[in-house]
């Protein structure tokens, strides 16, 4: 915990409505909001020109808070500029007093590079990555002072006095401005410090260190699987270093099942072919999942309800959507909107839970009823050995693996275990299958390195497993196809697709057993259906973007997406694409998880207490019927909700 000392006589009592409670350093104070939340308040030197500083720091307020200390407010106190940011209750890496290895080092690497991904995707740079700017918070590492050096430089003020520029990229020592490759270099040097307690170019003096950074080779400790990646990031030539996004995907190779971010665009026109792909990176969304899954051990799988294209493609038969989201829908231009209740009888949801089940190792409390058609069926511990658990038909949870993503089949007996750490002793990616009732197990190889198979989804009959395939070495990493594993034959079929698409829009099984996925062309989002040679057979370009892998309802007659306007969830008819319901977001940071029954959705929203989350059952007008689970922290540990067999 950072040391907080008392205020001095000349210190202000309040800044921007935050009451100051103590000093964290000579320029940073601890403060408290009216709601009692602790913040960090930096008061800039009185001699600096505040206007250029505030202009430079302003874009950082919109930055994703994934693994960074979020900026809450900026402004002037008299003639002094201030920055109010999220308080991280943990020591700086340089003061932690210990070195890291194994899983701990891996988690630190993922968390901190995730922060850089978010910064760089916002067309910003950090400019000052070092052990003093990485805090080891209780919910994972946080990178602080993002962009502060650049903002201070705009006012001709140095952010800090550097005794030894041990973490500075060689091009910056030659006078180049801070750019993303320099951040990657500094990140790698900081990871070396985390593993060894010293900088990789330590030269005994400033001159010696500068000479080693510019001309010498780094001293690298035993970094395990990170060794080659860290060495590549410390290359002298910035052009040869991997981008932060590539580093992240090489480390984890995972993408988001759930995201709270909504991608919007202009409403679609009706093409006869899918428009050519123009890559719009959604990697910060993937980063959010990665941090949850492997940094704080968190993330939520969508409900699994049993449930590259050729140039010439058959277009969807449904009419196009309206020309403007503000314009009334024309019957000739958009699918007919019907009442959801006329399409399916309103299904009952038990208003009160009958049992409460606590899973203390992941901080989750389940509020279940015997009549629920959906329940939690698997999870991964967020600390310790990262043990994977699957729920037996009796209701008890059984340990089934370690550092593996468990996915229980619709039949409730077979568990697919997808390794979170790939290529451990083999060039082949593999999936392990274990039968809960007998302990029988077997392994199926999917693709060969550098490809990876991720985001498993069971078919509705439990006979096949679908995984999305990524090229981990392409720049940027792309979704390049899918793999289908047949449980009966124990063989995998790898299907390449012509479109190399965004990594966050993964494949899933459609109700009829064909393959479907969302797509984003830079202007609009929709869905596509594929055959087993990778060709698109149908597209619905007006429906918006699906989330996760479980957007089809239990009957398969409808599916849900984030609406094209990005302001609500839309429910569509699967056959023709007519809109059946528009469901308002419960919270701006909420996420769609899947279907509870035919007329209710599962969503994840922030809880009443800061840092908590809830999974809620809502109807198709957005009314909450019941809370299904409480999460004691923002991101619970790799949880899978799934349908109960026969319901």
């Amino acid at each position: 915990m950072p040391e907080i000392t008392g205020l001095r006589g000349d210190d202000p009592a309040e800044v921007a409505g935050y009451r100051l409670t103590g000093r964290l350093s000579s320029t940073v104070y601890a403060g408290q909001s009216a709601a009692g939340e602790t913040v960090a308040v930096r008061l800039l030197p009185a001699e600096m020109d505040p206007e250029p500083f505030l202009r430079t720091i302003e874009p950082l307020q919109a930055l994703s808070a994934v693994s960074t200390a979020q900026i809450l407010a900026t402004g002037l106190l008299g003639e002094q500029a201030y920055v109010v940011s999220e308080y991280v209750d943990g020591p700086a890496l340089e003061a932690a007093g210990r070195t890291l290895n194994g899983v701990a080092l891996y988690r630190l690497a993922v968390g901190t590079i995730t922060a850089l991904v978010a910064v760089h995707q916002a067309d910003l740079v950090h400019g000052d990555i070092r052990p003093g700017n990485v805090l080891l918070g209780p919910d994972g590492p946080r990178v602080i002072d993002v962009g502060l050096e650049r903002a201070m430089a705009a006012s001709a003020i140095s952010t800090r006095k550097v005794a030894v520029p041990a973490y500075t990229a060689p091009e910056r020592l030659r006078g180049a401005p801070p750019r993303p490759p320099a951040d990657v270099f500094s990140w790698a040097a900081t990871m070396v410090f985390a593993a060894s307690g010293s900088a990789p170019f330590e030269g005994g003096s400033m001159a010696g260190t500068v000479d080693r950074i510019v001309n010498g080779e780094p001293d690298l400790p035993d970094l395990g699987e990170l060794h080659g990646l860290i060495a590549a990031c410390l290359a002298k030539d910035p052009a040869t270093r991997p981008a932060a996004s590539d580093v992240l995907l090489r480390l984890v190779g995972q993408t988001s099942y759930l995201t709270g971010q909504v991608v919007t665009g202009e409403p679609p026109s009706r093409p006869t072919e899918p428009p050519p792909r123009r890559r719009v990176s959604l990697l910060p969304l993937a980063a959010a999942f990665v941090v949850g899954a492997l940094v704080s051990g968190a993330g939520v799988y969508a409900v699994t309800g049993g449930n590259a294209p050729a140039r010439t493609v058959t277009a969807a038969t449904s009419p196009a959507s309206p020309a403007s989201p503000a314009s009334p829908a024309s019957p000739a231009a958009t699918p007919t909107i019907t009442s959801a209740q006329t399409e399916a009888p309103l299904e009952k949801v038990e208003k009160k839970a009958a049992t409460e089940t606590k899973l203390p190792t992941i901080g989750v409390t389940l509020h279940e009823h015997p009549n629920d058609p959906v329940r939690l069926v698997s999870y991964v511990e967020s600390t310790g050995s990262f043990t994977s658990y699957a729920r037996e038909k009796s209701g008890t949870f059984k340990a089934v693996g370690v550092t593996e993503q468990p996915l229980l089949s619709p039949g409730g007996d077979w568990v697919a275990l997808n390794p979170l750490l790939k290529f451990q002793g083999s060039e082949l990616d593999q999936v392990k299958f274990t039968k809960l009732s007998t302990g029988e197990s077997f392994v199926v190889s999917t693709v060969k390195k550098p490809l990876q198979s991720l985001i498993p989804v069971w078919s509705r009959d439990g006979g096949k497993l679908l995984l999305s395939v990524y090229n981990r070495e392409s720049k940027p990493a792309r979704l390049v196809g899918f793999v289908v594993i047949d449980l009966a034959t124990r063989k995998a079929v790898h299907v390449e697709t012509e479109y190399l698409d965004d990594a966050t829009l993964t494949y899933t099984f459609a109700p009829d057993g064909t393959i479907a996925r969302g797509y984003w062309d830079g202007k609009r989002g929709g869905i596509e259906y594929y055959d087993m040679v990778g060709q698109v057979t149908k597209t619905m370009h007006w429906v918006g973007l699906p989330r996760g892998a479980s957007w089809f309802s239990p009957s398969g007659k409808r599916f849900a997406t984030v609406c094209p306007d990005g302001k609500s969830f839309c429910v569509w008819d699967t056959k023709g694409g007519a809109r059946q319901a528009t469901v308002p977001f419960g919270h701006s940071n909420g996420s769609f998880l899947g279907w509870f029954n035919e007329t209710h959705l599962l969503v994840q929203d922030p809880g009443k207490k800061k840092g908590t989350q809830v999974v809620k059952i809502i109807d198709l007008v957005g009314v909450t019927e019941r809370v299904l689970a409480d999460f004691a922290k923002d991101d619970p540990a790799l949880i899978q909700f799934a349908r109960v067999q026969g319901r």
Side-chain angles (χ1 to χ4, degrees):
M1 179 183 297
E3 182 181 0
I4 301 177
T5 59
L7 295 173
R8 300 174 184 173
D10 56 348
D11 287 331
E14 183 178 290
V15 174
Y18 294 92
R19 181 175 62 86
L20 301 189
T21 58
R23 279 176 166 260
L24 291 167
S25 71
S26 60
T27 59
V28 182
Y29 299 86
Q32 196 170 63
S33 70
E37 297 174 350
T38 303
V39 298
V41 181
R42 182 184 293 273
L43 198 58
L44 281 300
E47 66 268 21
M48 71 172 289
D49 184 357
E51 292 186 7
F53 172 84
L54 293 175
R55 282 198 306 269
T56 308
I57 208 76
E58 182 180 6
L60 297 171
Q61 294 188 65
L63 183 66
S64 167
V66 175
S67 290
T68 64
Q70 186 176 20
I71 294 177
L72 304 175
T74 62
L76 289 174
L77 179 67
E79 296 183 355
Q80 287 182 268
Y82 64 80
V83 179
V84 181
S85 61
E86 180 184 7
Y87 175 79
V88 181
D89 190 9
L93 178 61
E94 69 178 1
R98 66 184 188 276
T99 58
L100 304 177
N101 56 38
V103 173
L105 180 62
Y106 191 85
R107 293 169 66 191
L108 177 70
V110 172
T112 48
I113 200 64
T114 293
L116 283 190
V117 169
V119 171
H120 295 171
Q121 292 287 2
D123 292 326
L124 301 168
V125 294
H126 186 289
D128 193 23
I129 295 288
R130 54 188 170 90
N133 277 341
V134 174
L135 301 185
L136 305 179
D139 57 348
R142 297 292 184 92
V143 176
I144 64 171
D145 290 355
V146 176
L148 187 64
E149 182 177 79
R150 182 181 177 189
M152 298 284 270
S155 297
I157 297 292
S158 174
T159 56
R160 61 187 174 99
K161 294 181 179 179
V162 185
V164 177
Y167 305 94
T168 306
E171 67 269 24
R172 294 207 60 199
L173 295 175
R174 298 187 183 100
R179 293 191 174 96
D183 276 349
V184 171
F185 182 99
S186 298
W187 169 83
T190 300
M191 293 304 100
V192 172
F193 174 88
S196 65
S198 61
F201 298 97
E202 182 62 49
S205 66
M206 179 179 289
T209 299
V210 169
D211 180 69
R212 286 201 61 197
I213 290 174
V214 174
N215 301 308
E217 295 300 319
D219 287 333
L220 299 182
D222 181 10
L223 296 167
E225 287 200 346
L226 300 180
H227 194 282
L229 183 58
I230 296 294
C233 293
L234 293 173
K236 307 298 183 191
D237 182 1
T240 64
R241 297 173 203 147
S245 56
D246 291 328
V247 174
L248 175 60
L249 288 173
R250 290 188 200 180
L251 280 171
V252 186
Q254 234 350 329
T255 56
S256 178
Y257 255 67
L258 300 175
T259 66
Q261 181 172 339
V262 175
V263 181
T264 62
E266 294 300 316
S269 58
R270 184 187 181 189
T272 57
E273 295 183 1
R277 297 288 193 269
R278 178 170 67 86
R279 182 181 182 271
V280 176
S281 178
L282 303 180
L283 195 55
L285 307 187
F289 174 79
V290 170
V291 172
L294 291 178
V295 177
S296 63
V300 182
Y301 289 134
V303 183
T304 55
N307 76 33
R311 294 300 181 187
T312 303
V313 178
T314 303
T317 58
S318 185
S321 62
S324 167
S327 303
S330 167
T334 186
T336 303
I337 299 176
T338 61
S339 167
Q341 281 71 24
T342 64
E343 296 294 325
L346 185 63
E347 295 191 29
K348 181 181 177 181
V349 173
E350 300 291 345
K351 300 294 185 180
K352 293 184 178 180
T355 61
E356 287 197 356
T357 303
K358 292 188 177 181
L359 305 174
T361 60
I362 57 173
V364 172
T365 300
L366 305 175
H367 308 286
E368 297 178 320
H369 192 281
N371 294 336
D372 288 346
V374 166
R375 67 176 185 173
L376 186 145
V377 296
S378 69
Y379 67 90
V380 179
E381 287 183 342
S382 55
T383 58
S385 62
F386 298 93
T387 301
S388 307
Y389 290 87
R391 199 170 194 173
E392 298 179 297
K393 293 180 180 179
S394 64
T396 60
F397 287 92
K398 180 179 181 180
V400 291
V402 177
T403 65
E404 293 169 303
Q405 168 190 345
L407 201 73
L408 190 65
S409 69
D413 200 8
W414 283 99
V415 182
L417 293 164
N418 191 36
L420 296 174
L421 302 178
K422 300 290 187 178
F423 309 116
Q424 303 295 296
S426 173
E427 293 290 302
L428 297 175
D429 200 356
Q430 298 176 325
V431 177
K432 182 180 179 180
F433 294 85
T434 297
K435 198 169 188 177
L436 289 178
S437 59
T438 65
E440 175 191 357
S441 66
F442 62 91
V443 173
V444 177
S445 297
T446 55
V447 291
K448 188 175 181 180
K449 191 176 182 179
L451 300 182
Q452 290 187 353
S453 53
L454 301 164
I455 320 299
V457 183
W458 282 101
S459 62
R460 294 193 166 217
D461 62 3
K464 295 180 180 179
L465 189 75
L466 170 71
L467 301 101
S468 298
V469 174
Y470 300 85
N471 187 336
R472 65 196 297 264
E473 292 188 353
S474 65
K475 296 182 179 180
R478 293 291 184 90
L479 182 69
V480 297
F482 56 86
V483 165
V484 176
I485 299 175
D486 189 305
L487 200 65
T489 63
R490 303 186 179 185
K491 293 182 179 180
V493 176
H494 175 204
V495 178
E496 295 181 349
T497 53
E498 185 174 349
Y499 289 150
L500 310 182
D501 225 317
D502 197 295
T504 64
L505 297 169
T506 57
Y507 294 92
T508 190
F509 277 115
D512 62 0
T514 58
I515 312 299
R517 65 176 293 274
Y519 76 88
W520 175 255
D521 67 6
K523 293 183 179 180
R524 64 176 68 87
I527 65 171
E528 297 171 329
Y529 292 82
Y530 289 77
D531 60 20
M532 284 302 293
V533 295
Q535 292 185 337
V536 169
T537 59
K538 184 173 72 171
T539 181
M540 292 183 178
H541 55 78
W542 59 87
V543 297
L545 283 171
R547 279 286 166 258
S550 296
W551 21 289
F552 290 102
S553 71
S555 72
K557 294 180 180 180
R558 51 179 60 178
F559 64 90
T561 67
V562 174
C563 294
D565 64 5
K567 298 179 180 179
S568 50
F569 300 121
C570 280
V571 175
W572 308 89
D573 170 58
T574 299
K575 185 176 181 179
R579 188 185 302 195
Q580 296 185 342
T582 302
V583 187
F585 290 147
H587 192 281
S588 59
N589 293 325
S591 301
F592 170 78
L593 303 189
W595 292 80
F596 183 75
N597 57 31
E598 197 66 20
T599 56
H600 292 83
L601 306 177
L602 278 185
V603 296
Q604 179 187 358
D605 281 342
K608 294 181 179 180
K609 188 177 179 181
K610 183 180 179 181
T612 64
Q613 296 281 312
V614 294
V615 170
K616 301 190 299 186
I617 307 165
I618 65 171
D619 64 19
L620 296 187
V621 294
V623 175
T624 299
E625 300 281 8
R626 195 178 94 225
V627 171
L628 188 60
D630 282 302
F631 305 149
K633 44 191 173 183
D634 279 333
D635 297 300
L638 285 177
I639 284 174
Q640 175 203 0
F641 288 95
R643 300 200 63 75
V644 178
Q645 188 72 4
R647 294 182 189 169

